[in-house]
mmCIF file of all heavy atoms in Angstrom:
data_model
loop_
_atom_site.group_PDB
_atom_site.id
_atom_site.type_symbol
_atom_site.label_atom_id
_atom_site.label_comp_id
_atom_site.label_asym_id
_atom_site.label_seq_id
_atom_site.Cartn_x
_atom_site.Cartn_y
_atom_site.Cartn_z
ATOM 1 N N PHE G 283 1.335 20.116 43.643
ATOM 2 C CA PHE G 283 2.514 19.740 42.819
ATOM 3 C C PHE G 283 3.128 18.473 43.378
ATOM 4 O O PHE G 283 4.342 18.275 43.292
ATOM 5 C CB PHE G 283 3.546 20.872 42.799
ATOM 6 C CG PHE G 283 3.049 22.101 42.097
ATOM 7 C CD1 PHE G 283 2.611 23.191 42.831
ATOM 8 C CD2 PHE G 283 3.049 22.165 40.732
ATOM 9 C CE1 PHE G 283 2.155 24.321 42.177
ATOM 10 C CE2 PHE G 283 2.593 23.281 40.076
ATOM 11 C CZ PHE G 283 2.154 24.363 40.805
ATOM 12 N N SER G 284 2.335 17.611 43.996
ATOM 13 C CA SER G 284 2.858 16.440 44.668
ATOM 14 C C SER G 284 3.477 15.451 43.668
ATOM 15 O O SER G 284 2.941 15.245 42.579
ATOM 16 C CB SER G 284 1.740 15.749 45.470
ATOM 17 O OG SER G 284 2.179 14.483 45.868
ATOM 18 N N LEU G 285 4.618 14.875 44.063
ATOM 19 C CA LEU G 285 5.217 13.847 43.237
ATOM 20 C C LEU G 285 4.674 12.466 43.588
ATOM 21 O O LEU G 285 4.988 11.479 42.919
ATOM 22 C CB LEU G 285 6.732 13.851 43.431
ATOM 23 C CG LEU G 285 7.549 14.898 42.669
ATOM 24 C CD1 LEU G 285 9.013 14.781 42.995
ATOM 25 C CD2 LEU G 285 7.338 14.763 41.163
ATOM 26 N N HIS G 286 3.895 12.370 44.676
ATOM 27 C CA HIS G 286 3.431 11.069 45.176
ATOM 28 C C HIS G 286 2.280 10.574 44.316
ATOM 29 O O HIS G 286 1.125 10.938 44.552
ATOM 30 C CB HIS G 286 2.992 11.172 46.632
ATOM 31 C CG HIS G 286 4.085 11.710 47.512
ATOM 32 N ND1 HIS G 286 3.839 12.167 48.786
ATOM 33 C CD2 HIS G 286 5.398 11.896 47.292
ATOM 34 C CE1 HIS G 286 4.966 12.585 49.314
ATOM 35 N NE2 HIS G 286 5.939 12.418 48.425
ATOM 36 N N ILE G 287 2.608 9.738 43.339
ATOM 37 C CA ILE G 287 1.569 9.342 42.381
ATOM 38 C C ILE G 287 0.574 8.350 42.973
ATOM 39 O O ILE G 287 -0.467 8.089 42.380
ATOM 40 C CB ILE G 287 2.179 8.731 41.105
ATOM 41 C CG1 ILE G 287 3.067 7.579 41.435
ATOM 42 C CG2 ILE G 287 2.929 9.779 40.313
ATOM 43 C CD1 ILE G 287 3.525 6.803 40.233
ATOM 44 N N LEU G 288 0.926 7.747 44.133
ATOM 45 C CA LEU G 288 -0.009 6.773 44.708
ATOM 46 C C LEU G 288 -1.015 7.407 45.635
ATOM 47 O O LEU G 288 -1.988 6.774 46.030
ATOM 48 C CB LEU G 288 0.778 5.691 45.469
ATOM 49 C CG LEU G 288 1.762 4.879 44.648
ATOM 50 C CD1 LEU G 288 2.420 3.806 45.491
ATOM 51 C CD2 LEU G 288 1.053 4.247 43.469
ATOM 52 N N GLU G 289 -0.793 8.647 45.995
ATOM 53 C CA GLU G 289 -1.717 9.315 46.914
ATOM 54 C C GLU G 289 -2.961 9.791 46.165
ATOM 55 O O GLU G 289 -2.882 10.274 45.016
ATOM 56 C CB GLU G 289 -1.037 10.505 47.582
ATOM 57 C CG GLU G 289 -0.224 10.076 48.801
ATOM 58 C CD GLU G 289 0.291 11.258 49.580
ATOM 59 O OE1 GLU G 289 0.761 12.239 48.976
ATOM 60 O OE2 GLU G 289 0.256 11.187 50.805
ATOM 61 N N VAL G 290 -4.106 9.654 46.817
ATOM 62 C CA VAL G 290 -5.378 9.980 46.202
ATOM 63 C C VAL G 290 -5.689 11.450 46.450
ATOM 64 O O VAL G 290 -5.357 11.992 47.513
ATOM 65 C CB VAL G 290 -6.483 9.073 46.787
ATOM 66 C CG1 VAL G 290 -7.828 9.454 46.204
ATOM 67 C CG2 VAL G 290 -6.165 7.629 46.523
ATOM 68 N N GLY G 291 -6.312 12.098 45.463
ATOM 69 C CA GLY G 291 -6.757 13.479 45.648
ATOM 70 C C GLY G 291 -5.630 14.491 45.663
ATOM 71 O O GLY G 291 -5.648 15.449 46.409
ATOM 72 N N ARG G 292 -4.614 14.255 44.850
ATOM 73 C CA ARG G 292 -3.498 15.189 44.790
ATOM 74 C C ARG G 292 -3.391 15.918 43.463
ATOM 75 O O ARG G 292 -2.866 17.009 43.402
ATOM 76 C CB ARG G 292 -2.177 14.411 45.030
ATOM 77 C CG ARG G 292 -1.964 13.997 46.469
ATOM 78 C CD ARG G 292 -1.253 15.091 47.263
ATOM 79 N NE ARG G 292 -1.116 14.715 48.627
ATOM 80 C CZ ARG G 292 -2.024 14.961 49.577
ATOM 81 N NH1 ARG G 292 -3.137 15.613 49.288
ATOM 82 N NH2 ARG G 292 -1.836 14.578 50.823
ATOM 83 N N HIS G 293 -3.843 15.278 42.404
ATOM 84 C CA HIS G 293 -3.626 15.832 41.072
ATOM 85 C C HIS G 293 -4.931 15.984 40.306
ATOM 86 O O HIS G 293 -5.932 15.406 40.679
ATOM 87 C CB HIS G 293 -2.688 14.918 40.236
ATOM 88 C CG HIS G 293 -1.438 14.540 40.973
ATOM 89 N ND1 HIS G 293 -1.372 13.444 41.779
ATOM 90 C CD2 HIS G 293 -0.237 15.108 40.997
ATOM 91 C CE1 HIS G 293 -0.141 13.349 42.295
ATOM 92 N NE2 HIS G 293 0.570 14.355 41.833
ATOM 93 N N ASN G 294 -4.863 16.748 39.246
ATOM 94 C CA ASN G 294 -5.948 16.800 38.284
ATOM 95 C C ASN G 294 -5.365 17.229 36.960
ATOM 96 O O ASN G 294 -4.281 17.815 36.904
ATOM 97 C CB ASN G 294 -7.026 17.774 38.730
ATOM 98 C CG ASN G 294 -8.361 17.435 38.105
ATOM 99 O OD1 ASN G 294 -8.462 16.499 37.321
ATOM 100 N ND2 ASN G 294 -9.368 18.219 38.423
ATOM 101 N N SER G 295 -6.055 16.936 35.855
ATOM 102 C CA SER G 295 -5.575 17.370 34.570
ATOM 103 C C SER G 295 -6.469 18.464 34.031
ATOM 104 O O SER G 295 -7.615 18.588 34.462
ATOM 105 C CB SER G 295 -5.487 16.209 33.583
ATOM 106 O OG SER G 295 -6.749 15.980 33.025
ATOM 107 N N ILE G 296 -5.950 19.240 33.096
ATOM 108 C CA ILE G 296 -6.713 20.368 32.541
ATOM 109 C C ILE G 296 -8.038 19.888 31.966
ATOM 110 O O ILE G 296 -9.107 20.376 32.285
ATOM 111 C CB ILE G 296 -5.890 21.056 31.435
ATOM 112 C CG1 ILE G 296 -4.659 21.724 32.050
ATOM 113 C CG2 ILE G 296 -6.728 22.077 30.698
ATOM 114 C CD1 ILE G 296 -3.758 22.377 31.038
ATOM 115 N N ALA G 297 -7.944 18.843 31.102
ATOM 116 C CA ALA G 297 -9.144 18.394 30.406
ATOM 117 C C ALA G 297 -10.199 17.873 31.378
ATOM 118 O O ALA G 297 -11.361 18.232 31.269
ATOM 119 C CB ALA G 297 -8.761 17.292 29.411
ATOM 120 N N ALA G 298 -9.773 17.053 32.344
ATOM 121 C CA ALA G 298 -10.731 16.504 33.292
ATOM 122 C C ALA G 298 -11.339 17.601 34.135
ATOM 123 O O ALA G 298 -12.535 17.592 34.475
ATOM 124 C CB ALA G 298 -10.047 15.460 34.190
ATOM 125 N N ASN G 299 -10.504 18.612 34.493
ATOM 126 C CA ASN G 299 -11.017 19.706 35.287
ATOM 127 C C ASN G 299 -12.080 20.477 34.541
ATOM 128 O O ASN G 299 -13.128 20.828 35.085
ATOM 129 C CB ASN G 299 -9.854 20.624 35.653
ATOM 130 C CG ASN G 299 -10.271 21.751 36.586
ATOM 131 O OD1 ASN G 299 -10.837 21.477 37.632
ATOM 132 N ND2 ASN G 299 -10.048 22.958 36.160
ATOM 133 N N ILE G 300 -11.851 20.730 33.255
ATOM 134 C CA ILE G 300 -12.842 21.449 32.439
ATOM 135 C C ILE G 300 -14.135 20.638 32.415
ATOM 136 O O ILE G 300 -15.225 21.168 32.644
ATOM 137 C CB ILE G 300 -12.323 21.670 31.004
ATOM 138 C CG1 ILE G 300 -11.108 22.584 31.014
ATOM 139 C CG2 ILE G 300 -13.420 22.267 30.137
ATOM 140 C CD1 ILE G 300 -10.437 22.719 29.685
ATOM 141 N N ALA G 301 -14.005 19.340 32.149
ATOM 142 C CA ALA G 301 -15.196 18.529 31.987
ATOM 143 C C ALA G 301 -16.004 18.464 33.283
ATOM 144 O O ALA G 301 -17.240 18.466 33.263
ATOM 145 C CB ALA G 301 -14.805 17.111 31.553
ATOM 146 N N SER G 302 -15.316 18.407 34.434
ATOM 147 C CA SER G 302 -16.072 18.268 35.680
ATOM 148 C C SER G 302 -16.624 19.611 36.166
ATOM 149 O O SER G 302 -17.672 19.637 36.816
ATOM 150 C CB SER G 302 -15.184 17.643 36.767
ATOM 151 O OG SER G 302 -14.082 18.478 37.006
ATOM 152 N N GLN G 303 -15.943 20.713 35.852
ATOM 153 C CA GLN G 303 -16.375 22.012 36.395
ATOM 154 C C GLN G 303 -17.378 22.746 35.493
ATOM 155 O O GLN G 303 -18.113 23.578 35.970
ATOM 156 C CB GLN G 303 -15.166 22.916 36.595
ATOM 157 C CG GLN G 303 -14.072 22.372 37.473
ATOM 158 C CD GLN G 303 -14.475 22.407 38.951
ATOM 159 O OE1 GLN G 303 -14.910 23.429 39.447
ATOM 160 N NE2 GLN G 303 -14.319 21.288 39.618
ATOM 161 N N SER G 304 -17.381 22.394 34.194
ATOM 162 C CA SER G 304 -18.099 23.252 33.270
ATOM 163 C C SER G 304 -19.611 23.194 33.448
ATOM 164 O O SER G 304 -20.294 24.162 33.137
ATOM 165 C CB SER G 304 -17.749 22.855 31.834
ATOM 166 O OG SER G 304 -18.257 21.568 31.591
ATOM 167 N N ALA G 305 -20.131 22.071 33.979
ATOM 168 C CA ALA G 305 -21.586 21.912 34.051
ATOM 169 C C ALA G 305 -22.227 23.003 34.896
ATOM 170 O O ALA G 305 -23.253 23.566 34.516
ATOM 171 C CB ALA G 305 -21.946 20.533 34.617
ATOM 172 N N GLU G 306 -21.622 23.322 36.027
ATOM 173 C CA GLU G 306 -22.237 24.362 36.872
ATOM 174 C C GLU G 306 -21.313 25.561 37.034
ATOM 175 O O GLU G 306 -21.124 26.075 38.119
ATOM 176 C CB GLU G 306 -22.615 23.798 38.254
ATOM 177 C CG GLU G 306 -21.525 23.084 38.970
ATOM 178 C CD GLU G 306 -21.718 21.579 38.921
ATOM 179 O OE1 GLU G 306 -22.585 21.130 38.133
ATOM 180 O OE2 GLU G 306 -21.004 20.862 39.610
ATOM 181 N N ALA G 307 -20.723 25.965 35.896
ATOM 182 C CA ALA G 307 -19.750 27.066 35.966
ATOM 183 C C ALA G 307 -20.457 28.405 35.773
ATOM 184 O O ALA G 307 -21.274 28.577 34.874
ATOM 185 C CB ALA G 307 -18.672 26.882 34.917
ATOM 186 N N THR G 308 -20.098 29.390 36.624
ATOM 187 C CA THR G 308 -20.532 30.759 36.387
ATOM 188 C C THR G 308 -19.660 31.306 35.259
ATOM 189 O O THR G 308 -18.616 30.745 34.958
ATOM 190 C CB THR G 308 -20.302 31.600 37.654
ATOM 191 O OG1 THR G 308 -18.911 31.559 37.975
ATOM 192 C CG2 THR G 308 -21.108 31.072 38.812
ATOM 193 N N PRO G 309 -20.086 32.424 34.635
ATOM 194 C CA PRO G 309 -19.264 32.963 33.536
ATOM 195 C C PRO G 309 -17.808 33.199 33.935
ATOM 196 O O PRO G 309 -16.899 32.975 33.128
ATOM 197 C CB PRO G 309 -19.980 34.272 33.200
ATOM 198 C CG PRO G 309 -21.392 34.011 33.549
ATOM 199 C CD PRO G 309 -21.393 33.085 34.721
ATOM 200 N N ASP G 310 -17.568 33.630 35.200
ATOM 201 C CA ASP G 310 -16.178 33.865 35.620
ATOM 202 C C ASP G 310 -15.388 32.565 35.597
ATOM 203 O O ASP G 310 -14.263 32.491 35.069
ATOM 204 C CB ASP G 310 -16.158 34.424 37.051
ATOM 205 C CG ASP G 310 -16.653 35.851 37.079
ATOM 206 O OD1 ASP G 310 -16.863 36.402 35.972
ATOM 207 O OD2 ASP G 310 -16.823 36.388 38.176
ATOM 208 N N VAL G 311 -15.990 31.526 36.207
ATOM 209 C CA VAL G 311 -15.299 30.240 36.248
ATOM 210 C C VAL G 311 -15.087 29.704 34.829
ATOM 211 O O VAL G 311 -14.039 29.170 34.500
ATOM 212 C CB VAL G 311 -16.126 29.246 37.099
ATOM 213 C CG1 VAL G 311 -15.437 27.897 37.113
ATOM 214 C CG2 VAL G 311 -16.295 29.753 38.506
ATOM 215 N N MET G 312 -16.136 29.884 34.002
ATOM 216 C CA MET G 312 -16.049 29.386 32.631
ATOM 217 C C MET G 312 -14.874 30.041 31.906
ATOM 218 O O MET G 312 -14.133 29.385 31.167
ATOM 219 C CB MET G 312 -17.371 29.750 31.908
ATOM 220 C CG MET G 312 -17.638 28.890 30.698
ATOM 221 S SD MET G 312 -17.826 27.163 31.144
ATOM 222 C CE MET G 312 -16.993 26.379 29.795
ATOM 223 N N ALA G 313 -14.704 31.340 32.109
ATOM 224 C CA ALA G 313 -13.592 32.048 31.459
ATOM 225 C C ALA G 313 -12.263 31.424 31.879
ATOM 226 O O ALA G 313 -11.363 31.236 31.075
ATOM 227 C CB ALA G 313 -13.623 33.517 31.811
ATOM 228 N N ARG G 314 -12.165 31.101 33.187
ATOM 229 C CA ARG G 314 -10.933 30.490 33.660
ATOM 230 C C ARG G 314 -10.735 29.123 33.029
ATOM 231 O O ARG G 314 -9.634 28.745 32.622
ATOM 232 C CB ARG G 314 -10.991 30.356 35.174
ATOM 233 C CG ARG G 314 -10.021 31.247 35.885
ATOM 234 C CD ARG G 314 -9.956 30.900 37.325
ATOM 235 N NE ARG G 314 -11.246 31.095 38.008
ATOM 236 C CZ ARG G 314 -11.541 30.506 39.161
ATOM 237 N NH1 ARG G 314 -10.693 29.683 39.727
ATOM 238 N NH2 ARG G 314 -12.707 30.745 39.718
ATOM 239 N N LEU G 315 -11.827 28.354 32.948
ATOM 240 C CA LEU G 315 -11.727 27.026 32.364
ATOM 241 C C LEU G 315 -11.283 27.125 30.902
ATOM 242 O O LEU G 315 -10.429 26.357 30.417
ATOM 243 C CB LEU G 315 -13.053 26.297 32.431
ATOM 244 C CG LEU G 315 -13.521 25.917 33.831
ATOM 245 C CD1 LEU G 315 -14.880 25.255 33.781
ATOM 246 C CD2 LEU G 315 -12.526 24.966 34.472
ATOM 247 N N ILE G 316 -11.880 28.090 30.193
ATOM 248 C CA ILE G 316 -11.510 28.255 28.792
ATOM 249 C C ILE G 316 -10.051 28.657 28.667
ATOM 250 O O ILE G 316 -9.348 28.240 27.757
ATOM 251 C CB ILE G 316 -12.461 29.248 28.101
ATOM 252 C CG1 ILE G 316 -13.865 28.647 28.010
ATOM 253 C CG2 ILE G 316 -11.987 29.611 26.714
ATOM 254 C CD1 ILE G 316 -14.891 29.499 27.346
ATOM 255 N N PHE G 317 -9.573 29.462 29.635
ATOM 256 C CA PHE G 317 -8.139 29.836 29.609
ATOM 257 C C PHE G 317 -7.264 28.579 29.742
ATOM 258 O O PHE G 317 -6.308 28.409 28.978
ATOM 259 C CB PHE G 317 -7.833 30.813 30.715
ATOM 260 C CG PHE G 317 -6.383 31.178 30.820
ATOM 261 C CD1 PHE G 317 -5.802 32.042 29.905
ATOM 262 C CD2 PHE G 317 -5.571 30.589 31.768
ATOM 263 C CE1 PHE G 317 -4.463 32.337 29.963
ATOM 264 C CE2 PHE G 317 -4.214 30.865 31.838
ATOM 265 C CZ PHE G 317 -3.656 31.751 30.920
ATOM 266 N N THR G 318 -7.638 27.683 30.697
ATOM 267 C CA THR G 318 -6.838 26.457 30.820
ATOM 268 C C THR G 318 -6.920 25.640 29.541
ATOM 269 O O THR G 318 -5.955 25.013 29.122
ATOM 270 C CB THR G 318 -7.327 25.607 32.010
ATOM 271 O OG1 THR G 318 -8.695 25.265 31.812
ATOM 272 C CG2 THR G 318 -7.131 26.309 33.308
ATOM 273 N N GLY G 319 -8.108 25.664 28.879
ATOM 274 C CA GLY G 319 -8.258 24.956 27.615
ATOM 275 C C GLY G 319 -7.335 25.542 26.554
ATOM 276 O O GLY G 319 -6.721 24.800 25.772
ATOM 277 N N LEU G 320 -7.188 26.864 26.565
ATOM 278 C CA LEU G 320 -6.295 27.528 25.601
ATOM 279 C C LEU G 320 -4.850 27.077 25.862
ATOM 280 O O LEU G 320 -4.105 26.795 24.913
ATOM 281 C CB LEU G 320 -6.430 29.036 25.758
ATOM 282 C CG LEU G 320 -5.623 29.892 24.775
ATOM 283 C CD1 LEU G 320 -6.132 29.693 23.377
ATOM 284 C CD2 LEU G 320 -5.694 31.360 25.158
ATOM 285 N N VAL G 321 -4.477 26.997 27.129
ATOM 286 C CA VAL G 321 -3.125 26.522 27.472
ATOM 287 C C VAL G 321 -2.915 25.114 26.928
ATOM 288 O O VAL G 321 -1.896 24.822 26.306
ATOM 289 C CB VAL G 321 -2.923 26.561 28.999
ATOM 290 C CG1 VAL G 321 -1.593 25.906 29.375
ATOM 291 C CG2 VAL G 321 -2.971 27.988 29.509
ATOM 292 N N LEU G 322 -3.928 24.254 27.173
ATOM 293 C CA LEU G 322 -3.842 22.879 26.676
ATOM 294 C C LEU G 322 -3.685 22.840 25.164
ATOM 295 O O LEU G 322 -2.886 22.072 24.614
ATOM 296 C CB LEU G 322 -5.079 22.099 27.124
ATOM 297 C CG LEU G 322 -5.157 20.643 26.692
ATOM 298 C CD1 LEU G 322 -4.043 19.848 27.360
ATOM 299 C CD2 LEU G 322 -6.493 20.050 27.055
ATOM 300 N N PHE G 323 -4.499 23.694 24.491
ATOM 301 C CA PHE G 323 -4.455 23.749 23.038
ATOM 302 C C PHE G 323 -3.054 24.109 22.556
ATOM 303 O O PHE G 323 -2.502 23.458 21.652
ATOM 304 C CB PHE G 323 -5.478 24.763 22.542
ATOM 305 C CG PHE G 323 -5.471 25.001 21.069
ATOM 306 C CD1 PHE G 323 -5.810 23.985 20.203
ATOM 307 C CD2 PHE G 323 -5.164 26.266 20.571
ATOM 308 C CE1 PHE G 323 -5.794 24.218 18.836
ATOM 309 C CE2 PHE G 323 -5.177 26.487 19.209
ATOM 310 C CZ PHE G 323 -5.476 25.460 18.349
ATOM 311 N N VAL G 324 -2.475 25.128 23.193
ATOM 312 C CA VAL G 324 -1.137 25.554 22.779
ATOM 313 C C VAL G 324 -0.115 24.439 23.010
ATOM 314 O O VAL G 324 0.692 24.121 22.119
ATOM 315 C CB VAL G 324 -0.732 26.845 23.546
ATOM 316 C CG1 VAL G 324 0.722 27.180 23.259
ATOM 317 C CG2 VAL G 324 -1.642 27.987 23.134
ATOM 318 N N ILE G 325 -0.177 23.795 24.185
ATOM 319 C CA ILE G 325 0.791 22.719 24.485
ATOM 320 C C ILE G 325 0.671 21.605 23.444
ATOM 321 O O ILE G 325 1.676 21.198 22.844
ATOM 322 C CB ILE G 325 0.535 22.150 25.883
ATOM 323 C CG1 ILE G 325 0.813 23.204 26.964
ATOM 324 C CG2 ILE G 325 1.444 20.939 26.141
ATOM 325 C CD1 ILE G 325 0.460 22.736 28.365
ATOM 326 N N THR G 326 -0.534 21.114 23.205
ATOM 327 C CA THR G 326 -0.675 19.993 22.278
ATOM 328 C C THR G 326 -0.347 20.421 20.853
ATOM 329 O O THR G 326 0.201 19.627 20.093
ATOM 330 C CB THR G 326 -2.108 19.413 22.305
ATOM 331 O OG1 THR G 326 -3.019 20.489 22.195
ATOM 332 C CG2 THR G 326 -2.370 18.662 23.570
ATOM 333 N N PHE G 327 -0.692 21.651 20.511
ATOM 334 C CA PHE G 327 -0.366 22.157 19.164
ATOM 335 C C PHE G 327 1.136 22.094 18.932
ATOM 336 O O PHE G 327 1.622 21.562 17.923
ATOM 337 C CB PHE G 327 -0.877 23.592 19.002
ATOM 338 C CG PHE G 327 -0.796 24.107 17.600
ATOM 339 C CD1 PHE G 327 -1.912 24.052 16.781
ATOM 340 C CD2 PHE G 327 0.378 24.658 17.101
ATOM 341 C CE1 PHE G 327 -1.843 24.537 15.472
ATOM 342 C CE2 PHE G 327 0.454 25.109 15.803
ATOM 343 C CZ PHE G 327 -0.665 25.055 14.989
ATOM 344 N N VAL G 328 1.897 22.607 19.908
ATOM 345 C CA VAL G 328 3.350 22.642 19.744
ATOM 346 C C VAL G 328 3.898 21.210 19.661
ATOM 347 O O VAL G 328 4.695 20.903 18.764
ATOM 348 C CB VAL G 328 4.002 23.391 20.932
ATOM 349 C CG1 VAL G 328 5.497 23.210 20.945
ATOM 350 C CG2 VAL G 328 3.634 24.862 20.854
ATOM 351 N N ILE G 329 3.427 20.344 20.558
ATOM 352 C CA ILE G 329 3.958 18.968 20.551
ATOM 353 C C ILE G 329 3.619 18.246 19.261
ATOM 354 O O ILE G 329 4.478 17.583 18.660
ATOM 355 C CB ILE G 329 3.423 18.207 21.784
ATOM 356 C CG1 ILE G 329 4.165 18.724 23.024
ATOM 357 C CG2 ILE G 329 3.600 16.715 21.613
ATOM 358 C CD1 ILE G 329 3.824 18.025 24.270
ATOM 359 N N ASN G 330 2.384 18.410 18.805
ATOM 360 C CA ASN G 330 1.991 17.765 17.547
ATOM 361 C C ASN G 330 2.775 18.313 16.359
ATOM 362 O O ASN G 330 3.172 17.567 15.476
ATOM 363 C CB ASN G 330 0.492 17.915 17.301
ATOM 364 C CG ASN G 330 -0.279 16.871 18.056
ATOM 365 O OD1 ASN G 330 -0.053 15.691 17.919
ATOM 366 N ND2 ASN G 330 -1.177 17.335 18.895
ATOM 367 N N ALA G 331 2.965 19.642 16.374
ATOM 368 C CA ALA G 331 3.698 20.261 15.269
ATOM 369 C C ALA G 331 5.119 19.691 15.208
ATOM 370 O O ALA G 331 5.613 19.342 14.129
ATOM 371 C CB ALA G 331 3.729 21.789 15.435
#
Side-chain angles (χ1 to χ4, degrees):
Chain G
F283 294 101
S284 168
L285 280 179
H286 304 165
I287 57 171
L288 298 184
E289 277 188 317
V290 177
R292 286 273 177 270
H293 310 89
N294 203 359
S295 82
I296 293 177
N299 185 56
I300 296 172
S302 62
Q303 303 285 311
S304 66
E306 52 256 10
T308 59
D310 289 353
V311 178
M312 202 63 219
R314 248 189 297 159
L315 292 177
I316 292 181
F317 176 76
T318 59
L320 184 66
V321 172
L322 180 65
F323 176 63
V324 172
I325 295 175
T326 48
F327 189 96
V328 169
I329 285 184
N330 278 305

